[in-house]
Amino acid sequence: MKVHTLLIVESPAKASTIERYLGPGYTVSASMGHLIDLPKSRIAIDEKNNFEPEYITVRGKAKILKDLQSKANKAGHVLLASDNDREGEAIAYHLRNSLIKKNENLEIERIIFNEITPAAIKEAVAKPIGINERKVNAQKARRVLDRLVGYNLSPLLWSKVKNGLSAGRVQSVALRLICEREKEVESFIPDEYWSLDGEFKKGKTNIAAQLVLYKDKKIDIKDEAEINRIIEELKGVEPVVSAVKGVEKQLKPKAPFTTSTLQQTAANRLGFTSRKTMQIAQQLYEGINIDSSRVGLITYMRTDSTRISDMAIGEVREWLEANHPDELPETPNTYSVKKSAQDAHEAIRPTYIRYTPEEMKKHLNKDQIKLYTIIWERFVSCQMINAKTLTTSIDIKINDAIFRISSTKYLVKGFQTVIKMLKSKEKTVKIPTLKEGDSLEVEEFNANQHFTTGPSRFTDASIVKMLEENGIGRPSTYAPIISVLLDRYYVVRRNKQLQPTTLGKIISDMLSTQFPNVVSQEFTAEMEQNLDRVEEEGVEWHQMIGKFYAPFKKQVDHVNETLESIKGVLDEPTDEVCEKCGSPMVKKLGRFGFFLACSGFPDCRNTKAVPLADCPKEGCDGKIVARRKAGGKGKEFYGCSNYPECEFISHFKPTSSKCPKCGYFLVEKNDKKIGTVKSCINPDCDFLHTHEDSDEG
DNA sequence: CAGTGAGCGAGCTTCCGCTTGACTT
């Protein structure tokens, strides 16, 4: 008789691909992530009983579980093919338990593979294995630890600072990093320094060079007097070409994308937020319709590995052989995979090299094609030969000063041949032909004043990089980490920079003071080491948790008893007066953002939206307030508080200042080139100026 | 490009890590 097999993976897009590879005899279904987990409403860890977690079916997932159970019963044979990492092993473990509970006669096996290729799938199916209990235990320990930390610290914040706040092993470190960087930015004192450009002449050729060495030392000129003294010394002395040098350099192509590097590059090159990058990557992964069939354009987008399947290597080499034979290396390039990587998936790469960005243009929207292009370019280039550059530099000596001019050109374009969107902007400096001993004429010297710029705030790109380097968070969580900090008003994003709010600073300071070990980078590193010992040596996880929890809980209780509540200190007094009782109103942070409330609470319960500006409509005494589409969804816009009597709206956020030309309120606009500008939106007025002052948070 | 319009101030919040849809007004 025919045996039917149910194969269960995590992602539905993966399921349909694998079903195609396996053909008849197999049904492939998706679990859509975890189905069994701790309940959300309670801590659900039994502290008295060795930290035993209490698992339930995740809310909203019962239907999927039931469906899998009935499919399993029909098939009789089940292959658990969740991802080959810690979380995947736990998913397999919980699935097995749930399926067996319904039917103990089921034959259930586990299979693992690290890439979605026909060969890898068939090999895995032929070699089923058991569930790795140690790996499952490591996941349990991780889950329990995070629950204990999060569900102890968060309520502490509710009682000391404000309801609804949150803290956790990952988000609180991210917040701390952002707050510490902010302190560095605030305390930075710019340093003055000077540079000197020399304009020289040889016959009809003009030569512009920069002072680089003075008395054999790299220049470090602090003030104008010093630079003037040097200029004086140089006057009247003939400049001579003292050296002409050429240096060749090899440029290696970069490794293909992981989630972290994709988010970084998309943020830096395309201006995408981490969240946007992941949304678009998901669309490319799920596929688009090409010639009436659905094609997944990229491999799985949540990965910590740069590994490439042999099949993909073969394909890209074949493509290069046909299209860029001169840039094809003899053997494939390899890239090392981070030691800490769980390596369950390949790097992010195009699924079909022949779908070039050029060809995909007609199938994709603007953002999709941009993201697809950088993925395609990064992958194809990673299997091409190095580029080679020649940097020529000419040194011009006057007394103790060396001026230098240099220029770089490509000798071999190599992998750069296929790079268009990812190409770095080359500065093309024309270099004159001079030889050692040539003497020149001085045209003039130009001294320029500069200031050191100091540290920059974190962006989506740099915080993700920092987190990944420290092993904090996972590919599936980098984008949500940023989102949660924004949602809680711990952080705001201004001009792509992440800046802590007063609330964020207070929370971070409190956690750093009271729980320094928990919000340190080392905490996660230590946790990972312990999890490795659970996984590799079979160390008892309950004991590991107990060791951490006893002192932690003691400190939580201590803070609860001793730290004074600062509830309400964040409420800002305003000049607004309550129209119901005459008391002043205060600005408070509520569930849906900031609002004004009467200070006479609870006797007077009046509230209203924060007025941002006067309504400019003639005869209207309303105020402009922030609004959103019903349900809190959609983009914020700014309308008159007298709606529906007055229907005035603006898409741009009003500032506190008024237009000096017409009296209309000014708005902030983001100009791609200039940055933030204030401009008047009165259609009859053209006022605009760049924004120089720092305004209110 | 068009079009967008509560509520919050009492209760019941929160973690990290997997994964995608979505009851109706």
Side-chain angles (χ1 to χ4, degrees), chain A residues 213-217 233 400-401:
Chain A
L213 296 173
Y214 183 70
K215 297 196 169 158
D216 296 329
K217 281 210 313 235
E233 276 178 32
D400 292 329

Side-chain angles (χ1 to χ4, degrees), chain A residues 22-309:
Chain A
L22 286 174
Y26 291 88
T27 302
V28 187
S29 292
S31 76
M32 316 267 236
H34 282 288
L35 298 178
I36 308 290
D37 192 14
L38 302 171
K40 204 167 166 250
S41 56
R42 309 172 281 118
I43 195 159
I45 308 286
D46 194 346
E47 294 170 30
K48 304 242 163 57
N49 183 21
N50 236 344
F51 305 102
E52 211 44 60
E54 179 195 329
Y55 286 113
I56 61 157
T57 307
V58 176
R59 188 183 278 260
K61 296 286 181 74
K63 218 172 137 186
I64 298 170
L65 183 57
K66 258 195 177 153
D67 180 57
L68 291 177
Q69 281 164 335
S70 87
K71 278 180 179 161
N73 288 341
K74 259 184 231 156
H77 179 217
V78 180
L79 291 176
L80 301 171
S82 43
D83 294 350
N84 183 22
D85 55 23
R86 221 153 46 202
E87 297 299 321
E89 205 66 18
I91 289 173
Y93 163 85
H94 286 300
L95 266 174
R96 181 190 63 186
N97 292 353
S98 303
L99 295 177
I100 282 198
K101 218 190 270 176
K102 276 273 180 284
N103 179 357
E104 55 188 21
N105 296 322
L106 278 176
E107 189 194 344
I108 304 179
E109 292 169 303
R110 165 89 166 124
I111 59 167
I112 54 171
F113 41 80
N114 293 326
E115 56 189 54
I116 314 295
T117 57
I121 301 294
K122 278 171 191 155
E123 196 188 322
V125 167
K127 273 193 291 185
I129 54 176
I131 285 173
N132 181 340
E133 301 283 342
R134 288 179 174 184
K135 221 173 192 175
V136 175
N137 284 337
Q139 193 274 349
K140 273 190 189 169
R142 201 277 308 152
R143 185 70 188 88
V144 168
L145 180 73
D146 283 336
R147 173 53 68 98
L148 290 172
V149 170
Y151 274 43
N152 272 292
L153 292 185
S154 299
L156 197 59
L157 297 180
W158 303 342
S159 79
K160 301 299 178 191
V161 187
K162 210 178 95 62
N163 278 344
L165 299 180
S166 65
R169 171 179 60 87
V170 169
Q171 62 168 282
S172 297
V173 182
L175 177 62
R176 206 204 77 223
L177 292 168
I178 290 170
C179 289
E180 278 178 4
R181 179 62 60 85
E182 189 67 18
K183 280 183 193 162
E184 287 172 33
V185 170
E186 280 168 4
S187 63
F188 179 78
I189 301 161
D191 242 346
E192 183 185 358
Y193 69 95
W194 287 75
S195 67
L196 183 62
D197 294 337
E199 306 274 337
F200 307 101
K201 211 170 178 180
K202 162 99 180 158
K204 279 185 183 159
T205 322
N206 290 311
I207 302 138
Q210 269 220 322
L211 178 66
V212 288
L213 296 173
Y214 183 70
K215 297 196 169 158
D216 296 329
K217 281 210 313 235
K218 227 173 135 183
I219 60 156
D220 182 22
I221 303 162
K222 292 293 183 208
D223 54 46
E224 196 170 9
E226 202 179 336
I227 198 116
N228 284 336
R229 216 183 53 234
I230 295 174
I231 294 173
E232 279 310 310
E233 276 178 32
L234 305 182
K235 276 191 178 155
V237 184
E238 192 183 58
V240 176
V241 174
S242 59
V244 179
K245 268 187 265 180
V247 178
E248 283 186 14
K249 221 168 101 186
Q250 298 263 346
L251 293 180
K252 281 188 192 166
K254 289 194 170 130
F257 283 129
T258 61
T259 304
S260 155
T261 53
L262 177 68
Q263 288 182 15
Q264 289 170 46
T265 307
N268 291 334
R269 312 296 298 226
L270 309 176
F272 290 1
T273 62
S274 287
R275 183 215 269 264
K276 181 171 178 177
T277 298
M278 293 312 281
Q279 276 170 352
I280 298 165
Q282 179 87 29
Q283 293 161 11
L284 296 175
Y285 165 68
E286 283 178 5
I288 48 147
N289 289 319
I290 296 175
D291 310 329
S292 74
S293 71
R294 195 152 132 141
V295 182
L297 287 184
I298 61 169
T299 52
Y300 196 57
M301 61 279 148
R302 290 184 274 268
T303 176
D304 56 11
S305 180
T306 53
R307 188 168 39 77
I308 307 164
S309 71

Side-chain angles (χ1 to χ4, degrees), chain A residues 610-629:
Chain A
V610 180
L612 299 167
D614 294 328
C615 179
K617 210 161 190 185
E618 224 168 295
C620 179
D621 63 349
K623 304 279 184 190
I624 304 303
V625 296
R627 283 277 139 92
R628 252 190 170 94
K629 218 162 124 178

Side-chain angles (χ1 to χ4, degrees), chain A residues 615-617 620 622 624 639-649:
Chain A
C615 179
K617 210 161 190 185
C620 179
I624 304 303
C640 179
S641 56
N642 281 346
Y643 180 84
E645 282 82 46
C646 173
E647 294 193 329
F648 179 87
I649 73 157

Side-chain angles (χ1 to χ4, degrees), chain A residues 607-670:
Chain A
T607 67
K608 58 183 179 186
V610 180
L612 299 167
D614 294 328
C615 179
K617 210 161 190 185
E618 224 168 295
C620 179
D621 63 349
K623 304 279 184 190
I624 304 303
V625 296
R627 283 277 139 92
R628 252 190 170 94
K629 218 162 124 178
K633 290 198 173 91
K635 227 179 143 177
E636 201 174 57
F637 64 94
Y638 308 91
C640 179
S641 56
N642 281 346
Y643 180 84
E645 282 82 46
C646 173
E647 294 193 329
F648 179 87
I649 73 157
S650 155
H651 310 278
F652 299 97
K653 190 173 181 174
T655 64
S656 48
S657 34
K658 282 193 172 164
C659 176
K661 268 193 181 171
C662 69
Y664 228 82
F665 64 80
L666 294 178
V667 301
E668 265 190 8
K669 283 189 183 174
N670 256 331

